[in-house]
């Protein structure tokens, strides 16, 4: 039986490689599955949303084994419900949590049953569903993807504030390089399943794309603009991307793929210019 965990691998790991360590066990408060997390390089901490226990858990980045979180945001005042994703602003010390049609913002030091310091919500925001969030602390933007595109807000936007820009049809943003302002998002190619594939595979392709790529947009893009670069396509190397991280110092893009059950690292210096 599988169990929720955060596994750490060497940066240059390749092939069928064992994790160097993992965070797992009852003390972690992990519940069944983890759909997203973020890293705070200022505090050297990992921030994880809790789906079933309506929480935001923060761990020391060097945690190993059955480690308890150093802080946990949890309780009715938080207004958290089935949180799947989270984004940390390491410069301004804030945590952004998308919820259906809204984004909750907490102080990074928040612990226990605490209320958000601000909430972005309302019809003028254009927020739909839960979406994904990313923060650009250098240019001062909050990026929320989903609902037909990418919405770019002022970082401190609250209440019923409309977005500054809207990239129509943009993918689900997972990471931002704040120095260049490049956003790395998942996208899917519109392809027909190979008729030679087994029926169960073609059925899956009807429900899931199984033909993903990483698209790169700028935080200053606006309107129906295509990605400036695509990674992992059009040769359909990636199939079902669930997470993206950027290694800015080495100019690498790291993508986890559910269908391949693998982590791919691409060296793409042009995407960081």
């Amino acid at each position: 039986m599988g169990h929720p965990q955060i596994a750490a691998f060497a940066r240059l790991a390749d092939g069928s490689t064992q994790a160097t360590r993992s965070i797992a066990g009852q003390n972690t408060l992990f519940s069944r599955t983890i759909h997203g997390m973020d890293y705070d390089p200022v505090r050297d901490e990992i921030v994880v949303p809790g789906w079933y226990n309506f929480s935001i858990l923060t761990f020391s980045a060097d945690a190993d084994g059955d480690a308890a979180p150093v802080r946990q945001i949890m309780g009715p005042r938080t207004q958290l419900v089935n949180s799947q994703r989270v984004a940390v602003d390491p410069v301004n010390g804030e945590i952004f949590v998308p919820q259906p049609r809204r984004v909750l913002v907490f102080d990074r030091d928040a612990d226990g049953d605490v209320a958000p310091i601000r909430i972005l919500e309302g019809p003028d925001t254009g927020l739909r569903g839960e979406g994904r969030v990313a923060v650009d602390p250098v240019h001062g933007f909050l990026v929320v993807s989903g609902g037909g595109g990418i919405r770019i807000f002022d970082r401190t936007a609250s209440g019923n504030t409309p977005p500054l820009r809207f990239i129509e049809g943009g993918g689900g943003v997972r990471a931002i390089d704040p120095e260049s302002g490049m956003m790395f998002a998942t996208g899917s190619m519109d392809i027909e399943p190979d008729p030679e594939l087994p029926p169960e595979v073609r059925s899956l392709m009807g429900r899931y794309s199984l033909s993903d790529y990483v698209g790169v947009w700028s935080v200053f893009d606006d309107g129906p603009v295509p990605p400036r670069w695509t990674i992992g396509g059009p040769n359909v190397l990636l199939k079902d991307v669930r997470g993206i991280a950027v290694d800015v110092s080495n100019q690498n893009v790291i993508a986890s793929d559910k269908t391949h059950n693998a982590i791919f690292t691409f060296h793409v210096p042009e995407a960081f210019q």
Side-chain angles (χ1 to χ4, degrees):
M1 178 182 293
H3 59 277
Q5 64 172 323
I6 296 176
F9 296 86
R11 182 177 64 84
L12 299 178
D14 195 13
S16 181
T17 305
Q18 291 289 327
T20 57
R21 58 189 169 89
S22 66
I23 307 172
Q26 289 187 340
N27 288 330
T28 66
L29 302 181
F30 291 160
S31 57
R32 199 173 78 85
T33 186
I34 299 171
H35 290 158
M37 63 181 186
D38 203 6
Y39 172 65
D40 182 345
V42 172
R43 293 283 185 84
D44 195 27
E45 293 177 335
I46 302 169
V47 182
V48 184
W51 166 262
Y52 284 107
N53 54 17
F54 298 1
S55 68
I56 302 297
L57 309 173
T58 299
F59 295 85
S60 173
D62 62 0
D64 191 11
D66 191 7
V70 296
R71 291 183 300 281
Q72 52 181 294
I73 302 172
M74 182 188 301
R77 296 183 63 206
T78 68
Q79 303 183 48
L80 294 169
V81 179
N82 296 131
S83 303
Q84 298 191 74
R85 304 170 183 102
V86 65
V88 177
D89 179 348
V91 175
N92 300 286
E94 294 180 335
I95 299 173
F96 294 76
V97 187
Q99 301 277 268
R101 298 181 181 272
R102 64 195 327 215
V103 177
L104 308 180
V105 186
F106 296 90
D107 186 274
R108 175 171 50 190
D109 292 322
D111 193 12
D113 187 9
V114 295
I117 58 176
R118 63 181 181 275
I119 301 175
L120 177 65
E121 66 177 339
D124 293 341
T125 66
L127 298 178
R128 307 174 192 170
E130 181 175 339
R132 295 181 179 273
V133 294
V135 184
D136 178 352
V138 172
H139 301 98
F141 297 132
L142 166 65
V143 177
V144 185
S145 55
I150 300 171
R151 291 169 173 82
I152 301 169
F153 298 87
D154 183 89
R155 184 189 62 81
T156 61
S158 65
N160 187 28
T161 303
L164 301 171
R165 289 177 294 283
F166 176 56
I167 303 174
E168 299 175 33
V173 175
R174 262 74 164 185
I176 294 179
D177 170 21
E179 295 302 322
S180 66
M182 292 295 107
M183 304 183 293
F184 298 81
T186 54
S188 298
M189 288 173 279
D190 185 16
I191 63 172
E192 291 294 327
D194 186 338
E196 300 299 322
L197 289 172
E200 61 272 16
V201 175
R202 282 187 278 116
S203 174
L204 273 176
M205 293 186 75
R207 287 181 286 154
Y208 305 100
S209 165
L210 298 188
S211 56
D212 282 358
Y213 62 87
V214 177
V216 186
W217 283 266
S218 167
V219 293
F220 296 102
D221 286 339
D222 194 12
V225 296
R228 301 185 180 206
W229 295 278
T230 59
I231 303 165
N235 296 321
V236 200
L237 173 63
L238 296 173
K239 294 186 179 298
D240 191 1
V241 175
R242 293 305 176 96
I244 299 172
V246 291
D247 177 1
V248 177
S249 60
N250 294 289
Q251 298 181 317
N252 291 336
V253 175
I254 304 166
S256 62
D257 191 297
K258 179 180 179 181
T259 298
H260 283 297
N261 194 26
I263 299 171
F264 294 90
T265 300
F266 302 89
H267 182 58
V268 282
E270 63 275 12
F272 292 89
Q273 305 305 313

